Amino acid sequence: LEGEVQATKNMCKPPLNQILFGPPGTGKTYNTINQALAILAPEFLTQNNGDDPESRKRLKTEFDRFASAERVRFVTFHQSFSYEDFVEGLRALPPNSEGNPGDSLAYDVAKGVFVQLCLDARSDPVLEQKLGLKKDPTIWKISIEEASSDGRTRRYCFQHGEARIGWHKVGDIREADLTDPSFKLGSNDRSSLSSFGREIEEGDVLVCLGSRKSICAVGVVAGEYEYTPDVPEGVRKDYVQRLPVNWLLSDIDFDITALNGGRGLTLKTVYPINRISWPELQLGLQQAGFSLANETKPPAPAEKLPYVLIIDEINRGNISRIFGELITLIESSKRAGAAEAL
């Protein structure tokens, strides 16, 4: 009986990939609402699947609710739509813009609609809310003292819920002119200070350098930057730049190179690790046996909610250009967790 119930459940699961085809005007886009709700809310669709205008209105309202919750995304393919739009690509950030407070042009890896949808589908909203994470947090690498130091300041930070860096002569980062020659700051120094005092936000994630390959702590930023000219006992006198942090894990030894595309960490004091998303870091830590929420054992993975991507006019796009290497994953056996995973 148990096998029959499971077989019935599997038969009720909609296929992962569906194509609606036909001449223009036959209702392909119109019917995507029903197809999406068959995945997201099948019981609601069954109860409201009439031909009358009121049923259609209720279905559209329910569909819009899922769209507002970002459980549904909609894109239209065309000849200019590219891999950078769909998967990810470099985005230029003009000087003194919201994403680039510096004085020179910078580049950021922008996530396309497909990658962002996948990250959302892999996330655990309940755990993220419990940990105080913002939506799609940036992962920042920080060095608290040199790796070869005695570690007193680092231990103090872990015990007292904070992260600190030096450069006391700069004063308050928010008010300082980091290009002032009297500070004698290199480009890495200016970037680290700007990141620490102006760019890191509450709800972002800090990973503390242990070695070039490993991190020794993971924390969530719990408040705004502070300049503290008087440092507490046990902290290096020049470590006057402070961020409140809820350290989820400390005194660990976690090799991060696999998550970081096979690359080690650099000596730069503060910088974003754009190759790693929070769901990837969370999964890696849990697979290594670390608990992020103070449970005695890692929590069981939450049941994943379905997400839907609707591609309109798919035949008008250059499929090879848009999907790139991901076209291989149309075969389910090539996906993560399968026997032939790539």
Side-chain angles (χ1 to χ4, degrees):
L1 180 60
E2 183 179 343
E4 292 178 5
V5 171
Q6 185 61 43
T8 303
K9 287 182 178 179
N10 292 337
M11 290 176 62
C12 294
K13 287 184 179 180
L16 290 177
N17 308 302
Q18 301 179 50
I19 297 179
L20 308 183
F21 62 95
T26 51
K28 298 184 297 295
T29 305
Y30 182 90
N31 276 288
T32 56
I33 288 180
N34 294 52
Q35 298 296 327
L37 291 176
I39 298 169
L40 300 169
E43 293 183 0
F44 184 89
L45 176 65
T46 301
Q47 296 168 2
N48 296 274
N49 199 15
D51 296 328
D52 59 292
E54 285 302 315
S55 294
R56 173 67 182 184
K57 184 177 179 181
R58 287 193 294 271
L59 293 177
K60 181 66 167 61
T61 300
E62 184 71 357
F63 177 86
D64 290 342
R65 185 178 70 82
F66 280 109
S68 297
E70 299 186 330
R71 296 271 302 283
V72 178
R73 312 290 165 87
F74 189 100
V75 295
T76 301
F77 279 7
H78 48 79
Q79 283 298 303
S80 297
F81 202 83
S82 67
Y83 184 91
E84 289 75 15
D85 301 310
F86 193 64
V87 185
E88 65 180 6
L90 289 177
R91 175 184 59 183
L93 300 176
N96 302 308
S97 62
E98 181 180 355
N100 176 25
D103 296 324
S104 58
L105 183 68
Y107 293 89
D108 185 27
V109 178
K111 301 178 181 67
V113 61
F114 182 72
V115 166
Q116 189 58 61
L117 185 72
C118 291
L119 293 176
D120 290 347
R122 291 179 63 180
S123 65
D124 184 345
V126 175
L127 178 62
E128 290 172 9
Q129 184 177 16
K130 184 177 181 179
L131 300 180
L133 291 165
K134 72 176 190 181
K135 180 176 173 56
D136 193 19
T138 301
I139 311 296
W140 298 88
K141 174 264 179 183
I142 185 170
S143 295
I144 304 177
E145 292 190 298
E146 300 81 5
S148 59
S149 69
D150 62 10
R152 289 182 61 204
T153 297
R154 192 183 311 124
R155 287 193 298 274
Y156 180 93
C157 287
F158 294 162
Q159 294 167 3
H160 293 82
E162 57 187 39
R164 287 180 177 268
I165 61 174
W167 289 286
H168 64 288
K169 293 182 179 179
V170 170
D172 192 322
I173 297 173
R174 293 165 298 189
E175 301 174 1
D177 177 8
L178 300 179
T179 62
D180 188 335
S182 66
F183 291 148
K184 299 179 180 179
L185 299 173
S187 59
N188 281 348
D189 299 337
R190 290 195 299 271
S191 175
S192 293
L193 286 164
S194 180
S195 295
F196 192 85
R198 302 171 182 174
E199 299 172 38
I200 295 178
E201 298 180 348
E202 184 174 354
D204 278 345
V205 175
L206 293 184
V207 294
C208 185
L209 175 77
S211 69
R212 278 189 58 84
K213 292 185 176 182
S214 67
I215 58 173
C216 64
V218 179
V220 178
V221 179
E224 296 183 352
Y225 157 81
E226 299 176 69
Y227 168 59
T228 58
D230 298 318
V231 300
E233 186 177 352
V235 173
R236 278 173 45 168
K237 298 303 181 185
D238 59 331
Y239 270 48
V240 296
Q241 319 292 354
R242 178 184 182 274
L243 273 173
V245 177
N246 174 25
W247 292 106
L248 307 175
L249 300 168
S250 60
D251 299 317
I252 65 173
D253 184 13
F254 177 71
D255 190 329
I256 202 170
T257 52
L259 293 178
N260 198 30
R263 302 189 183 188
L265 302 173
T266 71
L267 297 179
K268 185 177 175 182
T269 303
V270 180
Y271 63 87
I273 308 179
N274 293 320
R275 295 184 189 89
I276 304 176
S277 67
W278 167 251
E280 292 169 326
L281 179 61
Q282 174 193 344
L283 180 62
L285 290 167
Q286 289 182 345
Q287 288 177 341
F290 297 111
S291 172
L292 295 170
N294 296 321
E295 287 96 347
T296 55
K297 60 180 180 179
E303 182 178 353
K304 298 301 182 183
L305 298 173
Y307 283 69
V308 173
L309 174 64
I310 299 171
I311 302 174
D312 199 19
E313 303 289 357
I314 191 170
N315 57 306
R316 297 185 184 274
N318 185 328
I319 298 299
S320 296
R321 179 187 179 196
I322 294 171
F323 280 84
E325 74 282 357
L326 296 184
I327 198 70
T328 306
L329 304 184
I330 284 181
E331 300 178 41
S332 58
S333 62
K334 303 295 193 299
R335 298 180 182 181
E340 304 293 330
L342 295 176

